[in-house]
Amino acid sequence: AALLVGVGIGLQGFFNDVVSGFVLLFEGGVAVGNVLEVDGKLVRVERIDLRSTRVVTVAGELMVLPNARVAGEAVVNLSQGDRAMRIRVNVGVAYGSDVELVTRLLSEAMANQPEVLPTPEPTVFFQDFGDSSLNFSVMGWLEDPWDRMAIQSRVRTAIDAKFREHGVTIPFPQRDVRLVDHRYVKD
């Protein structure tokens, strides 16, 4: 009896994965070719089996995920629903920079990427007055989220080139250090 209880407990995860496999296969929430975000990693579904789902990361790594994890946890399906996905690039500029110029340059850097959709247009937000910088975000929409990291990298490169061309500087954190002399002289 104790052996059967142990086997039952051991098979609980297996049956959970199999039932989740049926849910995935027949419900259609996740399909082969979908792009998912799992634990902050972007993956593309290669195959859904009865017990597990095989996915490939952007880096080309093969991952085998238990179906219970794909069906039951917070997995973001970037291929379902609205086809477009928004990306964001954050940047800080030096105090005293021309805010209108920075806004125009950020918008151009995003819009000039061929993968960024023209509609809706890229949007620039003046986020905050930071400790050492004026903080901005530029956002654009992509049809396919698979290459978003590469596209964000190209946007950052374009921003750097535009800022250099127009004399806009990206500051580094600055701190004032005050040295106090604590020498004691004995009489």
Side-chain angles (χ1 to χ4, degrees), residues 25-176:
L25 291 169
F26 296 113
E27 188 178 77
V30 175
V32 172
N34 283 171
V35 176
L36 311 175
E37 189 170 337
V38 179
D39 294 335
K41 286 186 177 182
L42 207 58
V43 298
R44 187 180 308 269
V45 177
E46 295 291 316
R47 195 166 99 199
I48 300 174
D49 294 326
L50 200 54
R51 196 177 80 61
S52 63
T53 299
R54 295 176 189 271
V55 298
V56 175
T57 67
V58 174
E61 304 162 325
L62 174 67
M63 292 174 60
V64 180
L65 302 174
N67 283 337
R69 184 167 178 204
V70 177
E73 291 186 16
V75 173
V76 179
N77 190 337
L78 301 171
S79 299
Q80 295 285 328
D82 198 2
R83 289 293 302 161
M85 178 199 168
R86 188 167 69 175
I87 62 168
R88 171 194 313 240
V89 174
N90 299 321
V91 65
V93 298
Y95 275 94
S97 297
D98 182 343
V99 172
E100 289 180 21
L101 173 65
V102 170
T103 300
R104 182 174 58 83
L105 296 176
L106 291 174
S107 183
E108 289 173 4
M110 181 67 79
N112 289 342
Q113 302 306 312
E115 301 89 351
V116 174
L117 299 174
T119 307
E121 290 182 6
T123 308
V124 177
F125 294 99
F126 183 170
Q127 295 284 69
D128 206 353
F129 295 95
D131 289 338
S132 302
S133 63
L134 303 174
N135 298 326
F136 289 82
S137 288
V138 58
M139 298 179 203
W141 292 88
L142 305 176
E143 183 74 30
D144 183 9
W146 188 248
D147 290 328
R148 71 179 178 182
M149 290 176 62
I151 297 164
Q152 287 171 313
S153 177
R154 288 196 298 275
V155 170
R156 288 183 186 101
T157 301
I159 289 169
D160 183 60
K162 286 184 173 295
F163 281 5
R164 288 176 192 271
E165 180 182 336
H166 291 87
V168 177
T169 58
I170 298 173
F172 54 89
Q174 299 178 18
R175 302 283 182 250
D176 290 331

